[in-house]
């Protein structure tokens, strides 16, 4: 017999069924939010895999198209690999959950969320986030939860929680906040230049709502929760650690990590590892397989102590100091736009490509509001950027997540389709990495877009701050512009992108059990200071505003409006007319249902020729109008002229020349281009033209 629990959440009913389905999972929650239904399960292996030295957590978010009454496209008619939205949702579920499992837990854990039915007003993503937290909390898997999550929008300046489909369409904020009972543990945001104070207000309004949900989850755990199982604790033997520290010495470890060159630091650690391996192969061979984790622990303690107690960063910078910055544009001569942004040993080259609106990405997912994507940002992280040898297997979840973050940061400043009728793609190639490449890609992309002549409304820059904490909430230090080592051994990677006016994107990853309001406020303010410096002192001197027009190798697009009832005339039967224009001029043509025609080509003369043909097709012939046509047929009584594909008219033999002629062929030949004037309708209601009356 199952139990059902309900609460009102943002004006809709949230219901959790426990014990109804998936009984063999360690924990299962059958979630209903409005008419959205998600099955969330948490499953753990009985024991760790052999040789595992990390916590193997897998989070899956499965979108089934039957949930919105669709049959998948293609020949297979079955869902394929996870969509980009599914991958991003899996990441946003993972981030608040992962820090709450024991640090020495090595059993495989899978959190699966199956989206089975979607009510567009009730987010399946939030439902899955809550479902994962509940399924894990009621399971026997060790977990220091529960967590709760909420989405926040802003409509007409007012905050709305878990916004409906209509509210999401109008919202200038898309914020997701996850909380524990005491602290904020995850923030993900996109916003239209929202001021810092407003963002902080929205974050803690969501945190307050999350407390009500956590109280609700606690009632479920009290009734249905299983006792947590014991597990094999994986920690470095105390005897090994003590001997290693005594042999190496803390001073030597500090010297090894204290350098601003990543390769030197790695070589120093490698030398220490080799000495310890040689030492223990003879005395304690059983310790050799444990050395990697032991050295990691020693290095981590050293770095954290240096930062927290001595205020000494591994590369010698001040706590608020940003690494050396450099910005360049026009790195690649024939691309539509390119720019490179360098921060210390992090370097990103972004290339902008412009295309016709027909090249926008079509989306086939479960969100009815998301059908196309005009701006696409892709991020690539090759192994050579970190000095490794690894074959490329396409973008992983991290790459997709970083690309989406940069995309989200830049969308608020892009021009509308009416202002700039192009599809836009930026690709960020990471050439070197030592921390915060996603924020480097935001800076490089802004510069690249401006170099390409995209009239963005404001420049966007991104920066990341880190955190090292002590034993109490008051014992912490915030680091501006963290490098890889500080991210690896620190407690937080707080990425914020924005303009001078406000924030456009946030992504917060932490490894501890949440952040206080004081830390969040200080982190956001620190990123504002750093962002302002990057915008004013680094990016603006490189290129201060978008170029006034697209480059010589970019497609040119001209838009005109036609009467929507004339669209069929331009397209022609089975596309015959429009294809003829395309073949004749070499341009691309897009027509929307409201009569907006976009003509795209590299050559301006070809574009104007295509526009003239289209305007001729949609023009109703009236007396006195002048046209230019091509002779396509000659008869005894006159000649037929084509003014545009599918648009023909006739000139009677008496209207060809001011002199009397016996044969049309005496004056005209097939293929001749001639000017004519419209004479209006003849007695039979047909439009007639004259060559001899052209003035």
């Amino acid at each position: 017999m199952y139990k059902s629990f309900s609460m009102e959440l943002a004006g809709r009913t949230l219901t959790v069924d426990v014990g109804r389905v998936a009984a063999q999972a360690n924990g299962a929650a059958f979630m209903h939010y409005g008419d959205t239904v998600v099955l969330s399960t948490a499953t753990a292996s009985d024991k760790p895999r052999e040789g595992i030295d990390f916590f193997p957590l897998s989070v899956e978010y499965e979108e089934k198209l039957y949930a919105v009454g669709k049959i998948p496209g293609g020949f297979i008619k079955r869902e394929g690999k996870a969509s980009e939205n599914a991958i991003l949702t899996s990441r946003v579920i993972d981030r608040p959950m992962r820090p709450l499992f024991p640090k020495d837990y090595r059993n495989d854990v899978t959190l699966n969320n199956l989206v089975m039915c979607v009510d567009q007003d009730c987010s399946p993503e939030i439902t899955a986030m809550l479902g994962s937290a509940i399924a894990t909390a009621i399971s026997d898997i060790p977990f220091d939860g529960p967590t709760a999550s909420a989405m926040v929008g802003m409509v007409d300046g007012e905050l709305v929680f878990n916004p409906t489909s209509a509210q999401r369409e109008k919202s200038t904020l898309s914020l997701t906040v996850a909380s524990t009972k005491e602290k904020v543990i995850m923030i993900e945001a996109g916003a239209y230049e929202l001021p810092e104070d407003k963002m902080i207000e929205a974050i803690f309004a969501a945190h307050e709502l999350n407390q009500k949900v956590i109280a609700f989850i606690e009632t479920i755990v009290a009734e249905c929760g299983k006792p947590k199982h014991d597990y094999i604790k994986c920690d470095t033997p105390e005897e090994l650690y003590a001997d290693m520290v005594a042999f190496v010495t803390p001073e030597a470890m500090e010297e090894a990590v204290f350098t601003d060159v990543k390769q030197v630091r790695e070589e120093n650690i490698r030398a220490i590892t080799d000495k310890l391996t040689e030492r223990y192969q003879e005395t304690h061979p059983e310790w050799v397989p444990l050395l990697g984790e032991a050295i990691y622990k020693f290095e981590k303690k050293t770095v954290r102590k240096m930062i927290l107690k001595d205020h000494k960063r591994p590369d010698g910078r001040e706590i608020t100091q940003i690494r050396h910055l450099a910005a360049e544009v026009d790195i690649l001569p024939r691309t539509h736009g390119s720019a490179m942004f360098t921060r210390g040993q992090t370097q990103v080259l972004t290339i902008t490509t412009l295309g016709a609106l027909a090249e926008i990405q079509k989306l086939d997912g479960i969100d009815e509001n998301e059908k196309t994507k005009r701006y696409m940002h892709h991020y690539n992280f090759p192994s050579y950027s970190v000095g490794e040898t690894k074959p490329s297997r396409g973008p992983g979840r991290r790459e997709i997540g970083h690309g989406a973050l940069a995309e989200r940061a830049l969308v608020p400043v892009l021009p509308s389709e009416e202002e700039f009728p192009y599809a836009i793609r930026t690709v960020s190639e990471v050439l070197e990495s030592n921390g915060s490449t996603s924020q480097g890609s935001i800076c490089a992309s802004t510069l690249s877009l401006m170099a390409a002549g995209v009239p963005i409304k404001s420049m966007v820059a991104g920066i990341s701050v880190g955190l090292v904490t002590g034993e109490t909430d008051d014992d912490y230090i915030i680091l501006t512009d963290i490098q890889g080592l500080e991210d690896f051994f620190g407690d937080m990677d707080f990425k914020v992108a924005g303009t001078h006016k406000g924030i456009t994107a946030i992504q917060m990853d932490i490894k501890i059990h949440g952040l206080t309001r004081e830390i969040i406020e200080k982190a956001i303010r620190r990123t504002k200071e750093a962002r302002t410096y990057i915008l004013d002192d680094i990016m603006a001197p490189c290129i201060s505003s978008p170029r006034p027009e697209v480059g010589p190798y970019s497609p040119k697009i001209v838009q005109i409006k036609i009467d929507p009832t004339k669209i069929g005339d331009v397209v022609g039967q089975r596309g015959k007319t429009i294809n003829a224009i395309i073949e004749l001029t070499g341009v691309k043509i897009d027509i929307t249902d409201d009569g907006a025609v976009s003509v795209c080509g590299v050559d301006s003369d070809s574009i104007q020729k295509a526009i003239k043909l289209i305007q001729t097709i949609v023009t109703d012939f009236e007396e006195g109008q002048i046209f230019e046509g091509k002779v396509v047929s000659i008869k005894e009584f006159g000649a037929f002229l084509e003014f545009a594909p599918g648009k023909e008219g006739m000139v009677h033999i008496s209207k060809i020349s001011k002199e009397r002629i016996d044969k049309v062929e005496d004056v005209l030949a097939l293929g001749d281009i001639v000017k004519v004037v419209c004479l209006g309708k003849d007695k039979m209601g047909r439009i007639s033209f004259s060559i001899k009356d052209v003035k």
Side-chain angles (χ1 to χ4, degrees):
M1 185 178 221
Y2 71 88
K3 294 184 178 180
S4 189
F5 304 84
S6 295
M7 73 170 288
E8 288 301 302
L9 179 59
R12 284 142 284 171
T13 302
L14 175 70
T15 300
V16 183
D17 293 340
V18 178
R20 186 177 184 183
V21 295
Q24 295 190 47
N26 294 62
F30 200 36
M31 307 290 297
H32 301 254
Y33 189 29
D35 285 339
T36 291
V37 180
V38 178
L39 171 60
S40 298
T41 57
T43 314
S45 62
D46 293 333
K47 56 186 178 181
R49 278 179 278 150
E50 189 72 32
I52 205 85
D53 61 354
F54 62 95
F55 172 43
L57 172 65
S58 299
V59 179
E60 304 295 336
Y61 176 83
E62 299 183 43
E63 296 174 326
K64 299 297 183 181
L65 289 185
Y66 59 67
V68 289
K70 289 184 182 178
I71 294 174
F75 290 102
I76 299 174
K77 298 298 179 188
R78 180 178 188 137
E79 289 84 2
K81 68 177 185 177
S83 70
E84 189 170 293
N85 180 67
I87 289 169
L88 297 175
T89 304
S90 296
R91 284 171 58 83
V92 91
I93 294 169
D94 181 300
R95 294 211 306 274
M97 298 286 288
R98 189 176 291 271
L100 299 179
F101 290 93
K103 292 190 182 301
D104 58 349
Y105 193 54
R106 297 292 181 266
N107 297 39
D108 283 274
V109 173
T110 299
L111 307 180
N112 188 279
N113 297 275
L114 179 61
V115 180
M116 307 181 79
C117 186
V118 174
D119 172 351
Q120 296 295 331
D121 287 338
C122 298
S123 162
E125 292 87 356
I126 281 295
T127 308
M129 291 183 77
L130 295 172
S132 285
I134 294 169
T136 310
I138 63 175
S139 76
D140 60 345
I141 303 169
F143 179 67
D144 195 13
T147 64
S149 304
M151 291 181 74
V152 186
M154 183 172 284
V155 179
D156 299 327
E158 298 294 322
L159 298 178
V160 290
F161 298 102
N162 294 350
T164 63
S165 177
Q167 289 171 332
R168 290 197 299 272
E169 278 283 276
K170 296 186 291 182
S171 180
T172 55
L173 171 66
S174 176
L175 169 68
T176 303
V177 177
S179 308
T180 64
K181 195 170 183 178
E182 298 168 343
K183 299 175 182 177
V184 172
I185 196 166
M186 194 279 301
I187 302 169
E188 179 99 7
Y192 282 75
E193 299 180 276
L194 191 69
E196 279 71 13
D197 288 340
K198 274 288 184 185
M199 183 64 80
I200 292 167
E201 178 191 337
I203 290 168
F204 286 94
H207 179 63
E208 189 175 329
L209 176 62
N210 284 340
Q211 299 315 300
K212 297 175 183 176
V213 180
I214 286 173
F216 168 66
I217 296 173
E218 285 178 334
T219 64
I220 301 174
V221 175
E223 277 199 54
C224 306
K226 302 174 184 176
K228 300 302 181 183
H229 63 229
D230 292 329
Y231 63 93
I232 301 169
K233 292 179 170 55
C234 301
D235 200 5
T236 303
E238 290 183 12
E239 188 182 353
L240 162 59
Y241 189 79
D243 185 83
M244 176 185 64
V245 171
F247 177 71
V248 175
T249 75
E251 294 76 19
M253 179 58 81
E254 187 170 321
E255 186 179 337
V257 299
F258 195 84
T259 173
D260 61 351
V261 182
K262 179 182 173 184
Q263 293 90 331
V264 172
R265 183 184 306 115
E266 289 174 349
E267 184 55 42
N268 292 342
I269 297 300
R270 193 177 296 117
I272 289 173
T273 304
D274 290 344
K275 286 180 183 178
L276 288 168
T277 301
E278 186 179 344
R279 173 181 173 84
Y280 295 138
Q281 275 176 340
E282 295 181 6
T283 58
H284 294 281
E286 72 280 7
W287 285 356
V288 173
L290 307 175
L291 265 180
E293 198 160 339
I295 293 169
Y296 166 84
K297 185 176 178 180
F298 188 15
E299 192 179 357
K300 181 176 181 178
K301 282 190 173 184
T302 302
V303 170
R304 291 176 66 86
K305 178 258 179 188
M306 286 164 56
I307 293 171
L308 188 62
K309 303 304 179 188
D310 305 334
H311 289 199
K312 186 178 178 182
R313 299 178 74 168
D315 58 4
R317 278 183 292 148
E318 297 295 323
I319 296 304
T320 60
Q321 186 180 350
I322 302 174
R323 288 169 289 175
H324 174 71
L325 301 172
E328 302 172 67
V329 295
D330 303 329
I331 303 296
L332 306 175
R334 284 179 174 258
T335 58
H336 301 166
S338 63
M340 189 160 69
F341 186 82
T342 306
R343 186 196 297 117
Q345 289 183 294
T346 291
Q347 188 176 63
V348 183
L349 172 62
T350 297
I351 299 91
T352 297
T353 306
L354 306 176
L357 290 173
E359 296 182 89
I360 62 176
Q361 184 179 3
K362 294 177 182 177
L363 305 176
D364 186 20
I366 61 176
D367 187 342
E368 291 182 355
N369 288 338
E370 299 288 334
K371 294 181 179 178
T372 60
K373 186 191 285 189
R374 173 189 169 221
Y375 174 60
M376 299 151 277
H377 185 107
H378 297 142
Y379 166 103
N380 297 315
F381 190 89
S383 58
Y384 62 74
S385 67
V386 287
E388 295 178 356
T389 57
K390 198 184 297 179
S392 175
R393 302 289 186 223
R397 291 190 171 194
R398 178 182 176 277
E399 286 86 347
I400 289 170
H402 280 8
L405 175 61
E407 183 176 290
R408 175 175 272 189
L410 289 160
V411 163
V413 301
L414 293 175
S416 66
E417 281 188 20
E418 291 72 29
E419 296 170 301
F420 192 71
Y422 287 85
I424 309 166
R425 181 186 186 227
T426 51
V427 179
S428 290
E429 304 286 0
V430 177
L431 307 181
E432 188 178 4
S433 173
N434 187 13
S436 204
T437 51
S438 65
Q439 302 309 286
S441 74
I442 291 168
C443 299
S445 298
T446 298
L447 298 169
S448 179
L449 287 165
M450 292 197 296
V454 180
I456 61 173
K457 297 177 178 67
S458 305
M459 287 196 295
V460 181
I463 193 71
S464 179
V465 296
L467 176 75
V468 177
T469 56
E471 297 298 320
T472 67
D473 286 347
D474 297 328
D475 186 17
Y476 66 87
I477 192 163
I478 294 173
L479 306 170
T480 300
D481 179 26
I482 55 172
Q483 59 171 308
L485 191 73
E486 293 165 335
D487 182 10
F488 198 50
F489 293 138
D491 297 319
M492 175 179 82
D493 183 5
F494 201 131
K495 308 179 185 83
V496 183
T499 66
H500 281 300
K501 287 184 184 177
I503 294 168
T504 59
I506 294 179
Q507 189 177 91
M508 184 185 87
D509 292 323
I510 63 173
K511 301 170 188 172
I512 53 177
H513 288 202
L515 301 180
T516 63
R517 181 169 187 140
E518 180 182 273
I519 292 174
I520 290 172
E521 288 187 358
K522 284 186 177 180
I524 288 177
R525 310 235 182 265
R526 185 76 67 80
T527 60
K528 168 71 171 175
E529 295 168 8
R531 185 170 82 238
T532 301
Y533 167 71
I534 295 169
L535 288 169
D536 292 345
D537 291 30
I538 307 301
M539 294 173 65
C542 177
I543 181 169
S544 58
S545 61
R547 287 182 172 143
E549 57 185 33
V550 298
Y553 300 104
S554 302
K556 314 299 185 290
I557 296 180
V558 177
Q559 262 195 344
I560 60 170
K561 289 284 285 188
I562 65 171
D563 183 345
T565 62
K566 300 284 188 180
I567 292 174
D569 295 341
V570 176
V571 174
Q573 189 175 16
R574 297 182 181 177
K576 182 179 179 181
T577 303
I578 197 169
N579 286 333
I581 298 172
I582 291 168
E583 186 175 342
L584 191 64
T585 61
V587 301
K588 294 180 181 178
I589 301 172
D590 298 316
I591 307 177
T592 61
D593 292 340
D594 63 352
V597 182
S598 296
V599 182
C600 174
V602 176
D603 179 53
S604 297
D605 290 341
S606 297
I607 292 173
Q608 291 306 317
K609 184 178 179 181
I611 288 173
K612 188 175 180 181
L613 291 171
I614 292 167
Q615 288 173 331
T616 302
I617 290 170
V618 300
T619 298
D620 292 322
F621 293 133
E622 294 178 3
E623 187 175 348
Q625 290 176 321
I626 304 293
F627 294 96
E628 196 174 73
K630 177 182 178 181
V631 178
V632 292
S633 178
I634 294 176
K635 306 293 183 184
E636 288 184 10
F637 52 84
F640 286 91
L641 274 61
E642 183 182 61
F643 304 101
K647 196 85 168 180
E648 292 185 2
M650 191 197 79
V651 180
H652 191 268
I653 189 171
S654 64
K655 298 295 181 182
I656 293 175
S657 175
K658 292 182 179 179
E659 322 290 320
R660 174 179 168 77
I661 60 173
D662 295 323
K663 291 182 180 180
V664 175
E665 292 92 330
D666 291 343
V667 178
L668 297 177
L670 291 175
D672 283 354
I673 305 295
V674 294
K675 279 189 177 179
V676 298
V677 61
C678 180
L679 301 176
K681 294 182 179 179
D682 61 18
K683 293 177 182 179
M684 298 178 65
R686 299 174 302 188
I687 302 293
S688 62
F689 297 88
S690 170
I691 296 174
K692 73 177 186 179
D693 295 315
V694 174
K695 294 177 182 178

